[in-house]
Amino acid sequence: EGPAENAAIANALHNDQRTGQYVIAPEAWECIWEELIHKGKGPKTVYDRPGAPTEDDYSFSSEMLEEMMKELNRLIAKYDSAEWNTKATANRVVHLLTEQRALIQIEL
């Protein structure tokens, strides 16, 4: 999903008159992804540090997970409502939040 998500973001920026002039050519997007993500040639992040935490290092109580579920449900309901659901960005947000909710449900 990474390269596709990267392309979706780049397309949104590229097609916006305010930012489009600053976005590199679409032909380079896949190469950039490969070099930065797969080959690790990008700037160092906290995850590059020795002993950096991984997802397994975090644990959330059932109370915390329930609160996350409430917030995800609230956001999904909001952006899936008639006021928002005609917008592609809102539909994408709903899709991503629904995926996250499913992962939390598994953890519960």
Side-chain angles (χ1 to χ4, degrees):
E1 236 186 54
E5 190 67 25
N6 188 56
I9 294 167
N11 268 316
L13 294 170
H14 191 259
N15 294 330
D16 188 305
Q17 64 181 0
R18 297 167 295 177
T19 56
Q21 64 183 326
Y22 304 107
V23 178
I24 61 172
E27 299 80 34
W29 297 347
E30 190 172 333
C31 178
I32 296 291
W33 178 265
E34 182 67 27
E35 293 296 313
L36 294 179
I37 305 304
H38 285 264
K39 295 182 181 176
K41 294 184 179 179
K44 300 298 178 203
T45 70
V46 67
Y47 301 110
D48 296 316
R49 292 187 201 157
T54 65
E55 280 189 42
D56 295 330
D57 294 328
Y58 296 98
S59 62
F60 297 101
S61 69
S62 59
E63 286 177 297
M64 295 167 87
L65 293 169
E66 290 291 342
E67 287 300 315
M68 290 179 201
M69 290 293 291
K70 286 180 193 174
E71 184 63 11
L72 287 168
N73 287 332
R74 183 187 75 77
L75 291 168
I76 290 167
K78 175 181 179 175
Y79 292 109
D80 201 30
S81 70
E83 180 181 355
W84 290 94
N85 67 10
T86 58
K87 299 176 191 258
T89 50
N91 292 328
R92 182 67 181 143
V93 166
V94 168
H95 174 79
L96 294 171
L97 294 175
T98 302
E99 284 182 352
Q100 189 62 41
R101 182 177 63 185
L103 292 172
I104 292 175
Q105 286 172 328
I106 290 168
E107 198 168 336
L108 279 169

